[in-house]
Amino acid sequence: MDVGLVCDRCDAFNAMAASICVVCGTGLTLGAMRRAQSSSPANESTQAKGSTAPTRTCKECGSPVQPGFRFCGSCGAPFNPSAVKPAGERRTQYFSALQQARAKLVLIKGDGLDGVSFTLAGHDHIAGRTEGPLLFQDDPFLSPRHANFYYKDGKLQVRDEVSANGIYVRIRQPAPLRSGDTFLVGEQVLRIEATPPETAGLGPDDDGTYVFASPRRASRMRLVQLLRGGDIGVCVRASGEVVTMGRDGNDINFPDDPFISGRHAQVSVDGDGMLLTDQGSKNGTFLRIRQDTLLNHGDYVFMGQQLLRVEIVG
């Protein structure tokens, strides 16, 4: 990049050591420029008429700018008459795109280390397989338009864009559940279902014969494992008011899942509802969101096969 002096009168570029403009002959030092301006015929004509040129002030450094000059003689900033502020008024600078970013998403790689970061400097930030600035084209479990990370009242929110597989947020504390909610423990997708007292199918058939089978236990909930392709895996009816999950020694065990802790999570009856609690697991428990959800610093979001960490930076 060339470095030199720009003439305030004709905008010509001059060498750094030049004392006068090579095009118009105007002095390139502040004192010389002022003398040239004061001795110009136009200025003499103005003085002869008894009028004075309006005072102009540089919006960057506050120094006076000579009439006709397009750059400040003190700091070199371009002079825009429409941007001049009254003397003494505080000057406000515009934020850059980086300064406007209030949050970013950090992709967590398979080894648990940080990967690429996505700076959220706008208002809406669409994520998906084929749409938006946050693209994951090789993830078959993401919908074309999967999620929207946006700001509301200055806070980061996430919205499910009617995706096929949903968005899961890691719970920080016991989270209330409704019948039909799904959550993740390790690689397992589980659905909670309320089980009110059942009477259908307990009576005899048309011939008056009862079906011989194991007796039904009273239960208020059951957990259903959802397999790829839409099939149902393990289905467990709670015999009490708590169902535990983990790798071993629990009501539901997944010994072959390397991402599940020994005692990972539990679902318990809570009054008329249910409660999902993480039991201090290494990789956390993630609940699928039903509505727009506030995200805080340090939250983890799982969608498709992507794990993202939220960082609030401003």
Side-chain angles (χ1 to χ4, degrees):
M1 179 178 67
D2 293 332
V3 178
L5 300 175
V6 176
C7 177
D8 277 318
R9 183 174 296 279
C10 68
D11 292 340
F13 183 82
N14 298 268
M16 180 62 74
S19 60
I20 62 172
C21 176
V22 296
V23 175
C24 67
T26 301
L28 296 179
T29 64
L30 179 58
M33 286 190 287
R34 286 176 176 168
R35 288 192 299 273
Q37 180 65 25
S38 62
S39 62
S40 66
N43 193 49
E44 291 173 358
S45 175
T46 300
Q47 292 175 350
K49 294 179 182 180
S51 61
T52 57
T55 302
R56 309 191 312 165
T57 304
C58 174
K59 65 183 180 66
E60 296 296 335
C61 68
S63 299
V65 179
Q66 296 298 316
F69 286 9
R70 298 179 60 186
F71 295 87
C72 174
S74 297
C75 70
F79 181 77
N80 180 7
S82 62
V84 175
K85 301 210 178 273
E89 183 173 342
R90 302 182 66 157
R91 297 181 295 276
T92 302
Q93 297 181 348
Y94 289 99
F95 283 108
S96 66
L98 178 61
Q99 289 171 318
Q100 289 176 343
R102 286 161 281 176
K104 66 178 180 179
L105 300 175
V106 180
L107 183 66
I108 307 301
K109 300 188 293 185
D111 52 10
L113 300 177
D114 291 354
V116 64
S117 296
F118 301 94
T119 300
L120 307 181
H123 180 271
D124 294 275
H125 310 85
I126 302 299
R129 195 175 70 251
T130 61
E131 296 185 32
L134 280 65
L135 284 179
F136 304 93
Q137 297 174 319
D138 298 328
D139 191 335
F141 298 102
L142 285 176
S143 297
R145 181 186 178 96
H146 197 100
N148 184 10
F149 295 88
Y150 68 97
Y151 293 107
K152 180 179 180 182
D153 298 328
K155 297 184 180 298
L156 185 64
Q157 309 259 344
V158 62
R159 174 186 301 140
D160 190 336
E161 294 288 298
V162 198
S163 64
N165 293 309
I167 300 169
Y168 295 81
V169 176
R170 183 173 181 173
I171 62 174
R172 291 175 176 262
Q173 55 189 5
L177 293 174
R178 291 186 288 175
S179 183
D181 278 344
T182 58
F183 58 93
L184 297 175
V185 289
E187 293 184 309
Q188 311 307 315
V189 182
L190 301 171
R191 182 176 66 219
I192 185 69
E193 297 178 354
T195 56
E198 299 163 310
T199 57
L202 296 182
D205 60 16
D206 294 339
D207 296 328
T209 305
Y210 287 86
V211 175
F212 182 76
S214 300
R216 293 177 181 265
R217 293 189 231 173
S219 176
R220 294 182 57 182
M221 60 182 174
R222 70 173 184 172
L223 288 174
V224 179
Q225 182 188 27
L226 305 180
L227 303 177
R228 290 183 180 177
D231 293 334
I232 299 298
V234 176
C235 182
V236 176
R237 289 172 60 90
S239 57
E241 296 195 342
V242 177
V243 177
T244 60
M245 294 150 280
R247 183 177 296 132
D248 54 63
N250 301 275
D251 297 313
I252 307 177
N253 297 302
F254 302 98
D256 298 325
D257 189 333
F259 301 102
I260 284 186
S261 299
R263 184 175 177 87
H264 197 105
Q266 71 175 33
V267 176
S268 57
V269 175
D270 181 41
D272 294 331
M274 295 163 288
L275 209 59
L276 175 64
T277 305
D278 183 82
Q279 298 288 74
S281 66
K282 180 177 180 180
N283 292 310
T285 302
F286 293 75
L287 177 62
R288 182 171 181 173
I289 64 174
R290 286 181 174 263
Q291 58 190 5
D292 292 16
T293 300
L294 174 68
L295 295 176
N296 296 298
H297 182 75
D299 279 345
Y300 285 85
V301 178
F302 192 89
M303 57 183 193
Q305 293 179 312
Q306 312 304 318
L307 177 60
L308 301 163
R309 185 179 71 246
V310 178
E311 292 189 2
I312 307 298
V313 297

